[in-house]
mmCIF file with all atom_site columns, all heavy atoms in Angstrom:
data_model
loop_
_atom_site.group_PDB
_atom_site.id
_atom_site.type_symbol
_atom_site.label_atom_id
_atom_site.label_alt_id
_atom_site.label_comp_id
_atom_site.label_asym_id
_atom_site.label_entity_id
_atom_site.label_seq_id
_atom_site.pdbx_PDB_ins_code
_atom_site.Cartn_x
_atom_site.Cartn_y
_atom_site.Cartn_z
_atom_site.occupancy
_atom_site.B_iso_or_equiv
_atom_site.pdbx_formal_charge
_atom_site.auth_seq_id
_atom_site.auth_comp_id
_atom_site.auth_asym_id
_atom_site.auth_atom_id
_atom_site.pdbx_PDB_model_num
ATOM 1   N N   . GLU A 1 1  ? 0.823  -1.204  0.000  1.00 95.00 ? 373 GLU A N   1
ATOM 2   C CA  . GLU A 1 1  ? 0.000  0.000   0.000  1.00 95.00 ? 373 GLU A CA  1
ATOM 3   C C   . GLU A 1 1  ? 0.859  1.258   0.000  1.00 95.00 ? 373 GLU A C   1
ATOM 4   O O   . GLU A 1 1  ? 0.461  2.293   -0.533 1.00 95.00 ? 373 GLU A O   1
ATOM 5   C CB  . GLU A 1 1  ? -0.914 0.004   1.235  1.00 95.00 ? 373 GLU A CB  1
ATOM 6   C CG  . GLU A 1 1  ? -1.954 -1.101  1.233  1.00 95.00 ? 373 GLU A CG  1
ATOM 7   C CD  . GLU A 1 1  ? -2.866 -1.012  2.439  1.00 95.00 ? 373 GLU A CD  1
ATOM 8   O OE1 . GLU A 1 1  ? -2.728 -0.046  3.221  1.00 95.00 ? 373 GLU A OE1 1
ATOM 9   O OE2 . GLU A 1 1  ? -3.727 -1.892  2.602  1.00 95.00 ? 373 GLU A OE2 1
ATOM 10  N N   . SER A 1 2  ? 2.033  1.164   0.601  1.00 93.00 ? 374 SER A N   1
ATOM 11  C CA  . SER A 1 2  ? 2.949  2.297   0.626  1.00 93.00 ? 374 SER A CA  1
ATOM 12  C C   . SER A 1 2  ? 3.822  2.342   -0.620 1.00 93.00 ? 374 SER A C   1
ATOM 13  O O   . SER A 1 2  ? 3.982  3.384   -1.255 1.00 93.00 ? 374 SER A O   1
ATOM 14  C CB  . SER A 1 2  ? 3.840  2.221   1.877  1.00 93.00 ? 374 SER A CB  1
ATOM 15  O OG  . SER A 1 2  ? 4.805  3.245   1.867  1.00 93.00 ? 374 SER A OG  1
ATOM 16  N N   . SER A 1 3  ? 4.375  1.196   -0.996 1.00 95.00 ? 375 SER A N   1
ATOM 17  C CA  . SER A 1 3  ? 5.228  1.105   -2.181 1.00 95.00 ? 375 SER A CA  1
ATOM 18  C C   . SER A 1 3  ? 5.390  -0.361  -2.546 1.00 95.00 ? 375 SER A C   1
ATOM 19  O O   . SER A 1 3  ? 5.627  -1.198  -1.676 1.00 95.00 ? 375 SER A O   1
ATOM 20  C CB  . SER A 1 3  ? 6.608  1.726   -1.917 1.00 95.00 ? 375 SER A CB  1
ATOM 21  O OG  . SER A 1 3  ? 7.507  1.430   -2.975 1.00 95.00 ? 375 SER A OG  1
ATOM 22  N N   . SER A 1 4  ? 5.282  -0.670  -3.813 1.00 95.00 ? 376 SER A N   1
ATOM 23  C CA  . SER A 1 4  ? 5.464  -2.051  -4.275 1.00 95.00 ? 376 SER A CA  1
ATOM 24  C C   . SER A 1 4  ? 6.921  -2.351  -4.589 1.00 95.00 ? 376 SER A C   1
ATOM 25  O O   . SER A 1 4  ? 7.257  -3.471  -4.991 1.00 95.00 ? 376 SER A O   1
ATOM 26  C CB  . SER A 1 4  ? 4.606  -2.312  -5.517 1.00 95.00 ? 376 SER A CB  1
ATOM 27  O OG  . SER A 1 4  ? 5.001  -1.449  -6.579 1.00 95.00 ? 376 SER A OG  1
ATOM 28  N N   . THR A 1 5  ? 7.805  -1.361  -4.420 1.00 96.00 ? 377 THR A N   1
ATOM 29  C CA  . THR A 1 5  ? 9.225  -1.545  -4.739 1.00 96.00 ? 377 THR A CA  1
ATOM 30  C C   . THR A 1 5  ? 10.147 -1.365  -3.535 1.00 96.00 ? 377 THR A C   1
ATOM 31  O O   . THR A 1 5  ? 11.269 -1.862  -3.524 1.00 96.00 ? 377 THR A O   1
ATOM 32  C CB  . THR A 1 5  ? 9.677  -0.554  -5.834 1.00 96.00 ? 377 THR A CB  1
ATOM 33  O OG1 . THR A 1 5  ? 9.520  0.794   -5.354 1.00 96.00 ? 377 THR A OG1 1
ATOM 34  C CG2 . THR A 1 5  ? 8.855  -0.740  -7.103 1.00 96.00 ? 377 THR A CG2 1
ATOM 35  N N   . MET A 1 6  ? 9.699  -0.651  -2.503 1.00 96.00 ? 378 MET A N   1
ATOM 36  C CA  . MET A 1 6  ? 10.561 -0.347  -1.364 1.00 96.00 ? 378 MET A CA  1
ATOM 37  C C   . MET A 1 6  ? 10.774 -1.586  -0.498 1.00 96.00 ? 378 MET A C   1
ATOM 38  O O   . MET A 1 6  ? 9.843  -2.322  -0.221 1.00 96.00 ? 378 MET A O   1
ATOM 39  C CB  . MET A 1 6  ? 9.933  0.777   -0.538 1.00 96.00 ? 378 MET A CB  1
ATOM 40  C CG  . MET A 1 6  ? 10.851 1.359   0.525  1.00 96.00 ? 378 MET A CG  1
ATOM 41  S SD  . MET A 1 6  ? 10.058 2.731   1.416  1.00 96.00 ? 378 MET A SD  1
ATOM 42  C CE  . MET A 1 6  ? 9.858  3.913   0.079  1.00 96.00 ? 378 MET A CE  1
ATOM 43  N N   . TRP A 1 7  ? 12.005 -1.812  -0.081 1.00 97.00 ? 379 TRP A N   1
ATOM 44  C CA  . TRP A 1 7  ? 12.315 -2.955  0.763  1.00 97.00 ? 379 TRP A CA  1
ATOM 45  C C   . TRP A 1 7  ? 13.288 -2.552  1.865  1.00 97.00 ? 379 TRP A C   1
ATOM 46  O O   . TRP A 1 7  ? 13.931 -1.511  1.804  1.00 97.00 ? 379 TRP A O   1
ATOM 47  C CB  . TRP A 1 7  ? 12.873 -4.124  -0.051 1.00 97.00 ? 379 TRP A CB  1
ATOM 48  C CG  . TRP A 1 7  ? 14.037 -3.793  -0.953 1.00 97.00 ? 379 TRP A CG  1
ATOM 49  C CD1 . TRP A 1 7  ? 13.982 -3.289  -2.220 1.00 97.00 ? 379 TRP A CD1 1
ATOM 50  C CD2 . TRP A 1 7  ? 15.436 -3.949  -0.647 1.00 97.00 ? 379 TRP A CD2 1
ATOM 51  N NE1 . TRP A 1 7  ? 15.243 -3.123  -2.739 1.00 97.00 ? 379 TRP A NE1 1
ATOM 52  C CE2 . TRP A 1 7  ? 16.160 -3.518  -1.794 1.00 97.00 ? 379 TRP A CE2 1
ATOM 53  C CE3 . TRP A 1 7  ? 16.142 -4.407  0.458  1.00 97.00 ? 379 TRP A CE3 1
ATOM 54  C CZ2 . TRP A 1 7  ? 17.555 -3.539  -1.849 1.00 97.00 ? 379 TRP A CZ2 1
ATOM 55  C CZ3 . TRP A 1 7  ? 17.533 -4.434  0.406  1.00 97.00 ? 379 TRP A CZ3 1
ATOM 56  C CH2 . TRP A 1 7  ? 18.227 -4.005  -0.728 1.00 97.00 ? 379 TRP A CH2 1
ATOM 57  N N   . TYR A 1 8  ? 13.363 -3.416  2.893  1.00 98.00 ? 380 TYR A N   1
ATOM 58  C CA  . TYR A 1 8  ? 14.098 -3.083  4.094  1.00 98.00 ? 380 TYR A CA  1
ATOM 59  C C   . TYR A 1 8  ? 14.951 -4.266  4.553  1.00 98.00 ? 380 TYR A C   1
ATOM 60  O O   . TYR A 1 8  ? 14.638 -5.430  4.264  1.00 98.00 ? 380 TYR A O   1
ATOM 61  C CB  . TYR A 1 8  ? 13.142 -2.717  5.240  1.00 98.00 ? 380 TYR A CB  1
ATOM 62  C CG  . TYR A 1 8  ? 12.095 -1.696  4.902  1.00 98.00 ? 380 TYR A CG  1
ATOM 63  C CD1 . TYR A 1 8  ? 10.902 -2.067  4.283  1.00 98.00 ? 380 TYR A CD1 1
ATOM 64  C CD2 . TYR A 1 8  ? 12.275 -0.350  5.208  1.00 98.00 ? 380 TYR A CD2 1
ATOM 65  C CE1 . TYR A 1 8  ? 9.933  -1.130  3.972  1.00 98.00 ? 380 TYR A CE1 1
ATOM 66  C CE2 . TYR A 1 8  ? 11.307 0.594   4.918  1.00 98.00 ? 380 TYR A CE2 1
ATOM 67  C CZ  . TYR A 1 8  ? 10.144 0.195   4.281  1.00 98.00 ? 380 TYR A CZ  1
ATOM 68  O OH  . TYR A 1 8  ? 9.185  1.133   3.981  1.00 98.00 ? 380 TYR A OH  1
ATOM 69  N N   . LEU A 1 9  ? 16.001 -3.954  5.292  1.00 98.00 ? 381 LEU A N   1
ATOM 70  C CA  . LEU A 1 9  ? 16.781 -4.950  6.012  1.00 98.00 ? 381 LEU A CA  1
ATOM 71  C C   . LEU A 1 9  ? 16.759 -4.579  7.492  1.00 98.00 ? 381 LEU A C   1
ATOM 72  O O   . LEU A 1 9  ? 16.689 -3.394  7.840  1.00 98.00 ? 381 LEU A O   1
ATOM 73  C CB  . LEU A 1 9  ? 18.225 -4.991  5.513  1.00 98.00 ? 381 LEU A CB  1
ATOM 74  C CG  . LEU A 1 9  ? 18.446 -5.404  4.060  1.00 98.00 ? 381 LEU A CG  1
ATOM 75  C CD1 . LEU A 1 9  ? 19.918 -5.256  3.675  1.00 98.00 ? 381 LEU A CD1 1
ATOM 76  C CD2 . LEU A 1 9  ? 17.972 -6.830  3.814  1.00 98.00 ? 381 LEU A CD2 1
ATOM 77  N N   . ALA A 1 10 ? 16.830 -5.581  8.353  1.00 98.00 ? 382 ALA A N   1
ATOM 78  C CA  . ALA A 1 10 ? 16.815 -5.318  9.793  1.00 98.00 ? 382 ALA A CA  1
ATOM 79  C C   . ALA A 1 10 ? 17.776 -6.256  10.507 1.00 98.00 ? 382 ALA A C   1
ATOM 80  O O   . ALA A 1 10 ? 17.997 -7.397  10.084 1.00 98.00 ? 382 ALA A O   1
ATOM 81  C CB  . ALA A 1 10 ? 15.405 -5.486  10.364 1.00 98.00 ? 382 ALA A CB  1
ATOM 82  N N   . VAL A 1 11 ? 18.338 -5.759  11.591 1.00 97.00 ? 383 VAL A N   1
ATOM 83  C CA  . VAL A 1 11 ? 19.223 -6.536  12.443 1.00 97.00 ? 383 VAL A CA  1
ATOM 84  C C   . VAL A 1 11 ? 18.384 -7.463  13.318 1.00 97.00 ? 383 VAL A C   1
ATOM 85  O O   . VAL A 1 11 ? 17.204 -7.206  13.581 1.00 97.00 ? 383 VAL A O   1
ATOM 86  C CB  . VAL A 1 11 ? 20.068 -5.575  13.321 1.00 97.00 ? 383 VAL A CB  1
ATOM 87  C CG1 . VAL A 1 11 ? 20.928 -6.335  14.325 1.00 97.00 ? 383 VAL A CG1 1
ATOM 88  C CG2 . VAL A 1 11 ? 20.936 -4.686  12.437 1.00 97.00 ? 383 VAL A CG2 1
ATOM 89  N N   . ASP A 1 12 ? 18.968 -8.564  13.765 1.00 96.00 ? 384 ASP A N   1
ATOM 90  C CA  . ASP A 1 12 ? 18.319 -9.401  14.766 1.00 96.00 ? 384 ASP A CA  1
ATOM 91  C C   . ASP A 1 12 ? 17.944 -8.508  15.949 1.00 96.00 ? 384 ASP A C   1
ATOM 92  O O   . ASP A 1 12 ? 18.816 -7.855  16.540 1.00 96.00 ? 384 ASP A O   1
ATOM 93  C CB  . ASP A 1 12 ? 19.290 -10.497 15.217 1.00 96.00 ? 384 ASP A CB  1
ATOM 94  C CG  . ASP A 1 12 ? 18.668 -11.500 16.172 1.00 96.00 ? 384 ASP A CG  1
ATOM 95  O OD1 . ASP A 1 12 ? 17.770 -11.113 16.950 1.00 96.00 ? 384 ASP A OD1 1
ATOM 96  O OD2 . ASP A 1 12 ? 19.094 -12.665 16.170 1.00 96.00 ? 384 ASP A OD2 1
ATOM 97  N N   . PRO A 1 13 ? 16.668 -8.439  16.332 1.00 95.00 ? 385 PRO A N   1
ATOM 98  C CA  . PRO A 1 13 ? 16.244 -7.504  17.383 1.00 95.00 ? 385 PRO A CA  1
ATOM 99  C C   . PRO A 1 13 ? 16.868 -7.797  18.745 1.00 95.00 ? 385 PRO A C   1
ATOM 100 O O   . PRO A 1 13 ? 16.901 -6.921  19.611 1.00 95.00 ? 385 PRO A O   1
ATOM 101 C CB  . PRO A 1 13 ? 14.718 -7.671  17.419 1.00 95.00 ? 385 PRO A CB  1
ATOM 102 C CG  . PRO A 1 13 ? 14.475 -9.028  16.850 1.00 95.00 ? 385 PRO A CG  1
ATOM 103 C CD  . PRO A 1 13 ? 15.541 -9.224  15.802 1.00 95.00 ? 385 PRO A CD  1
ATOM 104 N N   . ARG A 1 14 ? 17.361 -9.010  18.945 1.00 94.00 ? 386 ARG A N   1
ATOM 105 C CA  . ARG A 1 14 ? 18.027 -9.312  20.215 1.00 94.00 ? 386 ARG A CA  1
ATOM 106 C C   . ARG A 1 14 ? 19.345 -8.551  20.325 1.00 94.00 ? 386 ARG A C   1
ATOM 107 O O   . ARG A 1 14 ? 19.846 -8.316  21.434 1.00 94.00 ? 386 ARG A O   1
ATOM 108 C CB  . ARG A 1 14 ? 18.271 -10.815 20.335 1.00 94.00 ? 386 ARG A CB  1
ATOM 109 C CG  . ARG A 1 14 ? 16.994 -11.645 20.442 1.00 94.00 ? 386 ARG A CG  1
ATOM 110 C CD  . ARG A 1 14 ? 17.287 -13.116 20.343 1.00 94.00 ? 386 ARG A CD  1
ATOM 111 N NE  . ARG A 1 14 ? 17.859 -13.466 19.034 1.00 94.00 ? 386 ARG A NE  1
ATOM 112 C CZ  . ARG A 1 14 ? 18.182 -14.697 18.682 1.00 94.00 ? 386 ARG A CZ  1
ATOM 113 N NH1 . ARG A 1 14 ? 18.013 -15.689 19.530 1.00 94.00 ? 386 ARG A NH1 1
ATOM 114 N NH2 . ARG A 1 14 ? 18.701 -14.935 17.485 1.00 94.00 ? 386 ARG A NH2 1
ATOM 115 N N   . ILE A 1 15 ? 19.894 -8.170  19.178 1.00 93.00 ? 387 ILE A N   1
ATOM 116 C CA  . ILE A 1 15 ? 21.124 -7.384  19.168 1.00 93.00 ? 387 ILE A CA  1
ATOM 117 C C   . ILE A 1 15 ? 20.815 -5.896  19.210 1.00 93.00 ? 387 ILE A C   1
ATOM 118 O O   . ILE A 1 15 ? 21.384 -5.138  20.001 1.00 93.00 ? 387 ILE A O   1
ATOM 119 C CB  . ILE A 1 15 ? 21.957 -7.722  17.913 1.00 93.00 ? 387 ILE A CB  1
ATOM 120 C CG1 . ILE A 1 15 ? 22.362 -9.197  17.937 1.00 93.00 ? 387 ILE A CG1 1
ATOM 121 C CG2 . ILE A 1 15 ? 23.172 -6.811  17.793 1.00 93.00 ? 387 ILE A CG2 1
ATOM 122 C CD1 . ILE A 1 15 ? 23.045 -9.669  16.682 1.00 93.00 ? 387 ILE A CD1 1
ATOM 123 N N   . ARG A 1 16 ? 19.860 -5.488  18.362 1.00 93.00 ? 388 ARG A N   1
ATOM 124 C CA  . ARG A 1 16 ? 19.475 -4.077  18.309 1.00 93.00 ? 388 ARG A CA  1
ATOM 125 C C   . ARG A 1 16 ? 18.113 -3.997  17.619 1.00 93.00 ? 388 ARG A C   1
ATOM 126 O O   . ARG A 1 16 ? 17.998 -4.288  16.434 1.00 93.00 ? 388 ARG A O   1
ATOM 127 C CB  . ARG A 1 16 ? 20.528 -3.280  17.538 1.00 93.00 ? 388 ARG A CB  1
ATOM 128 C CG  . ARG A 1 16 ? 20.378 -1.760  17.679 1.00 93.00 ? 388 ARG A CG  1
ATOM 129 C CD  . ARG A 1 16 ? 21.606 -1.078  17.100 1.00 93.00 ? 388 ARG A CD  1
ATOM 130 N NE  . ARG A 1 16 ? 22.790 -1.318  17.904 1.00 93.00 ? 388 ARG A NE  1
ATOM 131 C CZ  . ARG A 1 16 ? 23.369 -0.405  18.687 1.00 93.00 ? 388 ARG A CZ  1
ATOM 132 N NH1 . ARG A 1 16 ? 22.850 0.801   18.775 1.00 93.00 ? 388 ARG A NH1 1
ATOM 133 N NH2 . ARG A 1 16 ? 24.453 -0.701  19.352 1.00 93.00 ? 388 ARG A NH2 1
ATOM 134 N N   . PRO A 1 17 ? 17.064 -3.612  18.332 1.00 95.00 ? 389 PRO A N   1
ATOM 135 C CA  . PRO A 1 17 ? 15.725 -3.598  17.733 1.00 95.00 ? 389 PRO A CA  1
ATOM 136 C C   . PRO A 1 17 ? 15.492 -2.365  16.865 1.00 95.00 ? 389 PRO A C   1
ATOM 137 O O   . PRO A 1 17 ? 15.851 -1.252  17.247 1.00 95.00 ? 389 PRO A O   1
ATOM 138 C CB  . PRO A 1 17 ? 14.793 -3.597  18.948 1.00 95.00 ? 389 PRO A CB  1
ATOM 139 C CG  . PRO A 1 17 ? 15.589 -2.907  20.010 1.00 95.00 ? 389 PRO A CG  1
ATOM 140 C CD  . PRO A 1 17 ? 17.026 -3.285  19.768 1.00 95.00 ? 389 PRO A CD  1
ATOM 141 N N   . LEU A 1 18 ? 14.862 -2.581  15.738 1.00 96.00 ? 390 LEU A N   1
ATOM 142 C CA  . LEU A 1 18 ? 14.470 -1.477  14.863 1.00 96.00 ? 390 LEU A CA  1
ATOM 143 C C   . LEU A 1 18 ? 13.190 -0.819  15.368 1.00 96.00 ? 390 LEU A C   1
ATOM 144 O O   . LEU A 1 18 ? 13.008 0.393   15.233 1.00 96.00 ? 390 LEU A O   1
ATOM 145 C CB  . LEU A 1 18 ? 14.277 -2.003  13.434 1.00 96.00 ? 390 LEU A CB  1
ATOM 146 C CG  . LEU A 1 18 ? 13.819 -1.017  12.364 1.00 96.00 ? 390 LEU A CG  1
ATOM 147 C CD1 . LEU A 1 18 ? 14.774 0.169   12.248 1.00 96.00 ? 390 LEU A CD1 1
ATOM 148 C CD2 . LEU A 1 18 ? 13.687 -1.735  11.014 1.00 96.00 ? 390 LEU A CD2 1
ATOM 149 N N   . VAL A 1 19 ? 12.313 -1.608  15.969 1.00 96.00 ? 391 VAL A N   1
ATOM 150 C CA  . VAL A 1 19 ? 11.007 -1.128  16.425 1.00 96.00 ? 391 VAL A CA  1
ATOM 151 C C   . VAL A 1 19 ? 10.759 -1.633  17.842 1.00 96.00 ? 391 VAL A C   1
ATOM 152 O O   . VAL A 1 19 ? 11.190 -2.732  18.215 1.00 96.00 ? 391 VAL A O   1
ATOM 153 C CB  . VAL A 1 19 ? 9.885  -1.622  15.476 1.00 96.00 ? 391 VAL A CB  1
ATOM 154 C CG1 . VAL A 1 19 ? 8.504  -1.356  16.054 1.00 96.00 ? 391 VAL A CG1 1
ATOM 155 C CG2 . VAL A 1 19 ? 10.017 -0.957  14.113 1.00 96.00 ? 391 VAL A CG2 1
ATOM 156 N N   . LEU A 1 20 ? 10.049 -0.827  18.638 1.00 94.00 ? 392 LEU A N   1
ATOM 157 C CA  . LEU A 1 20 ? 9.609  -1.233  19.969 1.00 94.00 ? 392 LEU A CA  1
ATOM 158 C C   . LEU A 1 20 ? 8.089  -1.312  19.979 1.00 94.00 ? 392 LEU A C   1
ATOM 159 O O   . LEU A 1 20 ? 7.415  -0.390  19.510 1.00 94.00 ? 392 LEU A O   1
ATOM 160 C CB  . LEU A 1 20 ? 10.076 -0.234  21.030 1.00 94.00 ? 392 LEU A CB  1
ATOM 161 C CG  . LEU A 1 20 ? 11.580 0.043   21.116 1.00 94.00 ? 392 LEU A CG  1
ATOM 162 C CD1 . LEU A 1 20 ? 11.852 1.094   22.182 1.00 94.00 ? 392 LEU A CD1 1
ATOM 163 C CD2 . LEU A 1 20 ? 12.352 -1.226  21.405 1.00 94.00 ? 392 LEU A CD2 1
ATOM 164 N N   . ILE A 1 21 ? 7.549  -2.413  20.493 1.00 95.00 ? 393 ILE A N   1
ATOM 165 C CA  . ILE A 1 21 ? 6.102  -2.588  20.609 1.00 95.00 ? 393 ILE A CA  1
ATOM 166 C C   . ILE A 1 21 ? 5.747  -2.567  22.088 1.00 95.00 ? 393 ILE A C   1
ATOM 167 O O   . ILE A 1 21 ? 6.288  -3.343  22.887 1.00 95.00 ? 393 ILE A O   1
ATOM 168 C CB  . ILE A 1 21 ? 5.646  -3.925  19.979 1.00 95.00 ? 393 ILE A CB  1
ATOM 169 C CG1 . ILE A 1 21 ? 6.077  -3.995  18.519 1.00 95.00 ? 393 ILE A CG1 1
ATOM 170 C CG2 . ILE A 1 21 ? 4.131  -4.062  20.089 1.00 95.00 ? 393 ILE A CG2 1
ATOM 171 C CD1 . ILE A 1 21 ? 5.443  -2.939  17.643 1.00 95.00 ? 393 ILE A CD1 1
ATOM 172 N N   . TRP A 1 22 ? 4.840  -1.666  22.450 1.00 94.00 ? 394 TRP A N   1
ATOM 173 C CA  . TRP A 1 22 ? 4.512  -1.406  23.846 1.00 94.00 ? 394 TRP A CA  1
ATOM 174 C C   . TRP A 1 22 ? 3.147  -1.982  24.213 1.00 94.00 ? 394 TRP A C   1
ATOM 175 O O   . TRP A 1 22 ? 2.187  -1.887  23.434 1.00 94.00 ? 394 TRP A O   1
ATOM 176 C CB  . TRP A 1 22 ? 4.509  0.099   24.107 1.00 94.00 ? 394 TRP A CB  1
ATOM 177 C CG  . TRP A 1 22 ? 5.868  0.705   23.974 1.00 94.00 ? 394 TRP A CG  1
ATOM 178 C CD1 . TRP A 1 22 ? 6.528  1.007   22.814 1.00 94.00 ? 394 TRP A CD1 1
ATOM 179 C CD2 . TRP A 1 22 ? 6.744  1.081   25.039 1.00 94.00 ? 394 TRP A CD2 1
ATOM 180 N NE1 . TRP A 1 22 ? 7.763  1.536   23.092 1.00 94.00 ? 394 TRP A NE1 1
ATOM 181 C CE2 . TRP A 1 22 ? 7.919  1.609   24.455 1.00 94.00 ? 394 TRP A CE2 1
ATOM 182 C CE3 . TRP A 1 22 ? 6.643  1.033   26.421 1.00 94.00 ? 394 TRP A CE3 1
ATOM 183 C CZ2 . TRP A 1 22 ? 8.982  2.067   25.207 1.00 94.00 ? 394 TRP A CZ2 1
ATOM 184 C CZ3 . TRP A 1 22 ? 7.698  1.500   27.183 1.00 94.00 ? 394 TRP A CZ3 1
ATOM 185 C CH2 . TRP A 1 22 ? 8.863  2.014   26.579 1.00 94.00 ? 394 TRP A CH2 1
ATOM 186 N N   . PHE A 1 23 ? 3.072  -2.562  25.429 1.00 95.00 ? 395 PHE A N   1
ATOM 187 C CA  . PHE A 1 23 ? 1.828  -3.094  25.965 1.00 95.00 ? 395 PHE A CA  1
ATOM 188 C C   . PHE A 1 23 ? 1.626  -2.550  27.373 1.00 95.00 ? 395 PHE A C   1
ATOM 189 O O   . PHE A 1 23 ? 2.591  -2.201  28.060 1.00 95.00 ? 395 PHE A O   1
ATOM 190 C CB  . PHE A 1 23 ? 1.861  -4.624  25.997 1.00 95.00 ? 395 PHE A CB  1
ATOM 191 C CG  . PHE A 1 23 ? 2.007  -5.269  24.651 1.00 95.00 ? 395 PHE A CG  1
ATOM 192 C CD1 . PHE A 1 23 ? 3.268  -5.604  24.160 1.00 95.00 ? 395 PHE A CD1 1
ATOM 193 C CD2 . PHE A 1 23 ? 0.904  -5.533  23.865 1.00 95.00 ? 395 PHE A CD2 1
ATOM 194 C CE1 . PHE A 1 23 ? 3.419  -6.194  22.920 1.00 95.00 ? 395 PHE A CE1 1
ATOM 195 C CE2 . PHE A 1 23 ? 1.035  -6.122  22.613 1.00 95.00 ? 395 PHE A CE2 1
ATOM 196 C CZ  . PHE A 1 23 ? 2.292  -6.458  22.150 1.00 95.00 ? 395 PHE A CZ  1
ATOM 197 N N   . LEU A 1 24 ? 0.381  -2.513  27.801 1.00 93.00 ? 396 LEU A N   1
ATOM 198 C CA  . LEU A 1 24 ? 0.057  -2.003  29.124 1.00 93.00 ? 396 LEU A CA  1
ATOM 199 C C   . LEU A 1 24 ? 0.421  -3.030  30.187 1.00 93.00 ? 396 LEU A C   1
ATOM 200 O O   . LEU A 1 24 ? -0.082 -4.163  30.168 1.00 93.00 ? 396 LEU A O   1
ATOM 201 C CB  . LEU A 1 24 ? -1.436 -1.665  29.212 1.00 93.00 ? 396 LEU A CB  1
ATOM 202 C CG  . LEU A 1 24 ? -1.929 -1.089  30.541 1.00 93.00 ? 396 LEU A CG  1
ATOM 203 C CD1 . LEU A 1 24 ? -1.248 0.243   30.846 1.00 93.00 ? 396 LEU A CD1 1
ATOM 204 C CD2 . LEU A 1 24 ? -3.452 -0.917  30.513 1.00 93.00 ? 396 LEU A CD2 1
#
């Protein structure tokens, strides 16, 4: 929906997280 061509790489989150997900 944002782009059919854009792509990403990410590090193993145990080493360094790209995103944080928060819960109550």
